[in-house]
Structure formats: C-alpha cells, structure tokens
Amino acid sequence: MATSSVSTGCFVFKPKDSKKRRKSVPADFFNKDNAISESDRWRFSTYESLWQQMKEETESLQDSLNEKIFDSLLTFIKNSHIQLDLKENDWSYRMRCSEIPTAAVVLGVNVPDHEMTFQRLSDLLKQSLTPHVVCLHGKECTTVKQVLQKVLMHLLGGTANDEDAEEEDVHHSTPLSQRKIHCSMASLSGWYKAISQTSVSGSPSKKRKSCVVGQEQAPPIVIIFKDLESFLPEVLQNFIIICSNYIQQLPLVLVFGIATSPITIHRMLPRAVCSLLCIELFQSLSCSDHLTTVIDKLVLTTKFPFKLSGRVLQVLTVIFLYHDFSVKNFVKGFQLSLLEHFYSQPLSFLCCTLDEANDRIQNLAHGECELIRQVPTFMRYVDSQDSENQIELLTNDQYLKDDVQKLLKDLHIYHKNYFPVLKCLHILTSSLPKYPLGKQIRELYIACLEKNIWETEEYSSAFQLLGMMANDELVCLLQKCIDVLKSSMQQKPLTDIMQKLEEFLSKFQKLDDIAVKMEDKEGDEDHKMSPEKSLQKRTDLYELQKTLMELKKSRRSKKLSRFEVLRMEVLEFMDKLVRQYLLPPETQPLHEVVYFSAASTIRRHLNAAPRTALQAALSKPYNYLKNEAVRSKEGAITNTAPDICIVYKLHLECGRLINLYDWLQAFVTVVTAAEGQDPDKMSNGQVDQVLHARFIRAVSELEFLGFIKPTKRKTDHVTRLTWGGF
C-alpha cells in the first residue's frame, strides 16, 4: 500500500485539433466583442508606446534626482578603506582601522520606494566599484546565523561558477546549495583572502598585507541593510561586534537604510557598539519634492497627450499624502489611469501625437464617426453651430473628419498655452501669506481643472495681496515668469505675452530716483496750497467747515504713484491671461479623448475597502461564484452555499456573545437539510464528525478574517467583532 501510488497514475492526452486555435493577443482585451477592429489595435499600440515613453521619463528623472546622493555614496565607499597618508604607528590610523565604515542613508517614510533606490545603488556598485554587494531584509534576518547565511549565500554563491575559483579549488567551484559551509566570518575571510590573492597582478603568491591597499586590488564588501528599523537590535549588535573583529582582514562597508531619523541608530545600538562604527550621514531628496518633479514631467507638459482630470489627480495625491508617500505607487496609479482610459474610451486611439491623430482620422469608419458624434462636448459644439454646419457634421463623414482635425489641433494649442500661464500664476501666488491658491502647483492645477478659478474667493484674496506687493518683489516674480515663458515652446501667444512682461519689467526698472524726486517736488507744491495750510489762518465757523470738507475730499482722491499705476496694469494683464487661457477642460470640444475622469474607478482599485468586499462575498456568494445553486433571496440563508457563508449568515443573527454549541446546531440543521438528511438524527447525541470538522474550519476562517475572537467571559462562547451585514 505504501507504493501503490507509484503504479497508479493519471495521464492526460489532449486531442489533436484539426484547426489550430488562434492565440489571443493583449489587444483582444481592449474590445468587449469577439471581433477585433483596427481601432482596438491602435488603442493597445498607443497605450504601449505612450506608457513606455512615460516609464523611460520617470526612470531617467529618478536617476537624475538620486544622482547626487549616489555619487556621494560611491565616493564614500571607494575611499572607506584607503588611508595612504596615515602611518601604521599613528594612533588615528589604528583607531580608524578598528572602525567599520558605515553610511547612514535617510530615505524618508516612503518605504515602497526604498527597494527601487537600493536596487539602483546595488547595480551602480556592481558596475563601477565592487562585485561583492549584499542586500538584507529585516524579516529574513531574525538571528545572527541567518544574517551570516544570507551574506555567505550572496557572496560565495555569486562566485561559484567563476573560472578562477574553479582552477583554485574544487571546494569553491561547487554551488553553495550543494555543499555545507560553516557560517562564520572566518569562512568569509578565507574566501576573500583566496580571491584577493588570485586577483592581485595575477600571481597567487603575492599576499595582501592589509585591507588598505588600492581599490583595484581589494574591492570592498558592501552589506546593505535596506530597512534598519525592522532588524532586531540584539541581532544587529552581535553582527556588528563580529564584523569589528574581522575589519583588519575584510574591507567591510555597512549601509543603513533609515526611514525615520538618524537617531534610530543610537536607539538600537548602545554606545559601546556605536563606537565600533565610523558613521557618515546621507540625506535623500524629500518625497514631496520628488512628487512635484514627477507631476511636472508627466502631467504639466505637452510632451504626452494623456491628461488627468482634477478629481483623478486629487485621488492620487490624497493617497500619496495620507497613506504611503510613495512616488512609485503614484506612478503605478498613473499607469492604471492610462490603462483604464484606453480600455474604457473607444476614441482613445486619437490620444496620440497630432500627426498620428490626423492620419487616423482620415481612416475612420462610419461607426467610429458615429461614436464621435455621440461625445457630449462634441454634441454641445454641434448645437453652437449654424443649421448648415449642423447638417454637415451629422450627415457628412468627410466634413466631420476635417472638423475633428481642427478641434484636436485647437485642443493641442489649448494645452500649449495652458501650462505656461498656469506656472506664471503659480509663481505670483505661491509666496503669498497663507497661500490662498496653494503652496504647490498641483493644488492650483486641481483648482483650475475643476472650475473657473477667477470666480473663487481665494483668487480674489490672492490678487488683493498682490496689489500690496513691493517693487523689488514684483520685479523678481516678473523675471521668473519671463524665464518660464522662454523655456516653453515658442509660439505666437506666448511670445506676445513674454514681450508684454518684458515691457512691464523695463518700466519698473525706469522708476529711478529722478522720478521719485519729481513726485516729491510736485507733492511739496501741492502741499503749499493744500487745505491744511489754510487751517492755520484765522477764519469763521463756515470757512473752517468748508476747509475741513476740502481736506477730507483731497485725502479721498489721493493721487496714485507711478509704481502703483504700473502694478495695477500688471495685475490686470495677468487677470486677463488667466480668464483667457486657464479655462477648464470641459469647455474644450473632444476633451474626453485625452482626459481620464473616472475617479471612482481609480479609488476603488487603489483605495479598496477589504471589509466591505469580504462582507459582500460572504453575504452574496453568487456574485463571485456565478452558480445558480447558491443564489438566494435577500436575507435568506441558502443551504447550498459554502460553509463559511452559512456560518457567517448565522452569526449575523446573534448578539455580541455567540454560543458555539447553538451555532453548531444551527449549522448542522441548515447543512443536513441541503443534503436531504434528518437534522435530528445523531448518534448518541453527538454531531457527525465530518460536519463538526466543517463547522470548526468555517469558524476558524471567520476568526482569521477578523469577524470573531475567543473570549473568557463565558465558557464555549466567542465575541462578535462586527455589527450588521452588507
């Protein structure tokens, strides 16, 4: 019987189909019908090419943002064991050789991004500095033995197939998984001594004197602790003490990945252990600044035609600010929005460059022209035309194609003018007190997408504060606006705006001391004949009242200075630009082609409610199983449902404390009724063992899901943790 399963087998012979099945391609999922049209292939290919461009842009951006800290880390690791200027009998030399070079890298609380950062750092180290790089996770290293195993596994396993190691010793040529090695630093020291002797000038007889030789002769061993806070303090302390005893033989370098604060090192390690480390601090770019740069490169640009609506961008931003601070997850959410747009919008194949869109429009079929006619903004555009154009747009496909090309071109021009003016408005308002229009440009952009920004109270208060700005501050802001317009793509409206701002800037610069003296001189002449002088003369009550009225009137009609007049002209000009170019996207025909607005879909995917989904699955299993046998009326308990669903619905009828015996009896009653058995039929008053086991398993699953928990208040009772059903 022990070997009966060897001779008993089940073999599957698939029949040979005369007609080979067509392999499904990813483009098939973009069409809900069986037939695949040319537009479906366009949608999928456009999505792939667009996302590839965005992915390359984000990767290059992340590399450029981390370039400074990576260069500093590489320099630190390279020079960590090079002490050519110190003598061996020097006290500082002996003290430095007894310390382990340690880089404390503060990356912030955006933990999901740390993996990508350390992976990039590991790749750079292996490419330019040393092949001996080990990355450790706290959950995998709960003991010192596990830490040593991970280190030896990465280092010795990576060189198991090297030709030099094979020639030197057969013991080193076998894979680590096929041989037993004593996990200790002595084994690592012997391995490193062997490979260093063979790598120095190609002569094994040349021994390495110390760990402070040149970089080409002794590449360091870098051990990266990706999540320092997750390591047990005792394990970390013991490992550091062991490493300090071998620092004269091994050029070890430790890299601590810190999410909170550098003080974490001193909280985890006592002073005696910290004295064994030579720590240097490295600070990465804040995740908020990183997100601002990503939004500027992916969203606030005309390089990519795909755009997010205000609500979708707000959902992604809220998840970033209130959940994980992860730029990586923000980019994933952006990718999901891109995929949902191309999947749900049939006209998304026009979300491409202007030249490609014009070529595709000319090849549109009649059904696709009808889809364009059903777009809400295009219907409003048709209603705004005269009767002749309306008839042509609704009946003539070629006339429709020509008009759609014009509308998409206008939408492209709208974006080219939108973002430079938006950045200029942000420059003017981002330094105001209390930030009425937001401190970050993403806040201003969301507000401009949702409604007319000039109709809000925040906009009015912002321009009131700008009306009190000093000369030098306003000149500095105007210069920044000119720089933004210069960096944008040159076209007719932007060049005119830039020239107008340069004129204002030159006028401000001409407000010199001569003009101020002329105003003072005119003010003195007016002061001589002012009503205040007439108050000093002797007069009657009527003349005094008349003089006071003239004085009050003159103060009300105070003459504005040349600077105030010019400042008012600048603000009026900027207000005109905002009203002209920062219109919401809903005002543009066919904006649905490039804008994704399904915020509820993104929120459901990225910010899911697991308890609601669990309750829905347990209350209505038909929605997931698609089996007619488990379909039931609202509130009824189906006896053919899975055991956990039956137990869940029975527990909804109980109070805070649930009697397990009563619960079991109710479960047996429901299940035996489904199987056509008598629920009262028991052997010696005991429940069938199979039913009892099924009940225990279902209750254990409910406990695992967090619906109940054991209690000590009553015997054979459990506590209910949730109230109500789905």
Side-chain angles (χ1 to χ4, degrees), residues 272-326:
V273 179
C274 288
S275 62
L276 302 176
L277 303 177
C278 179
I279 304 175
E280 186 168 340
L281 184 64
F282 298 88
Q283 182 72 45
S284 66
L285 184 69
S286 66
C287 52
S288 180
D289 295 339
H290 194 173
L291 176 67
T292 302
T293 309
V294 169
I295 290 178
D296 183 66
K297 295 295 183 181
L298 293 184
V299 181
L300 305 178
T301 179
T302 57
K303 184 178 180 180
F304 306 113
F306 174 72
K307 304 299 176 188
L308 299 176
S309 67
R311 292 186 178 181
V312 175
L313 183 58
Q314 190 172 11
V315 168
L316 296 179
T317 306
V318 167
I319 293 175
F320 173 84
L321 294 175
Y322 294 98
H323 288 80
D324 51 14
F325 284 100
S326 174

Side-chain angles (χ1 to χ4, degrees), residues 222-283:
V222 182
I223 303 176
I224 301 176
F225 297 83
K226 293 185 176 181
D227 45 354
L228 183 68
E229 289 88 351
S230 300
F231 283 84
L232 297 176
E234 296 81 5
V235 175
L236 193 61
Q237 294 172 20
N238 295 332
F239 181 74
I240 292 174
I241 293 174
I242 295 173
C243 291
S244 65
N245 295 327
Y246 288 87
I247 192 62
Q248 300 290 340
Q249 306 172 23
L250 294 173
L252 296 172
V253 179
L254 305 182
V255 178
F256 291 160
I258 303 173
T260 54
S261 174
I263 198 66
T264 305
I265 299 177
H266 301 283
R267 290 176 180 173
M268 297 180 65
L269 304 177
R271 183 176 299 179
V273 179
C274 288
S275 62
L276 302 176
L277 303 177
C278 179
I279 304 175
E280 186 168 340
L281 184 64
F282 298 88
Q283 182 72 45

Side-chain angles (χ1 to χ4, degrees), residues 159 245-247 349 381 436 716:
T159 59
N245 295 327
Y246 288 87
I247 192 62
F349 63 89
Y381 170 75
D716 298 334

Side-chain angles (χ1 to χ4, degrees), residues 62 82 145 207 240 310 326 341 430 539 711:
Q62 290 168 355
I82 298 178
K145 182 179 180 180
K207 295 184 178 181
I240 292 174
S326 174
H341 176 70
S430 60
T539 180
T711 180

Side-chain angles (χ1 to χ4, degrees), residues 103 121 146 151 196 212 245 254 326 392 438 517 526 555 571 580 641 660:
L121 175 61
Q146 290 180 347
V151 172
S196 62
V212 295
N245 295 327
L254 305 182
S326 174
E392 292 292 334
K517 291 181 180 179
D526 295 339
R555 289 180 176 176
L571 296 182
Q580 181 179 358
L660 287 174

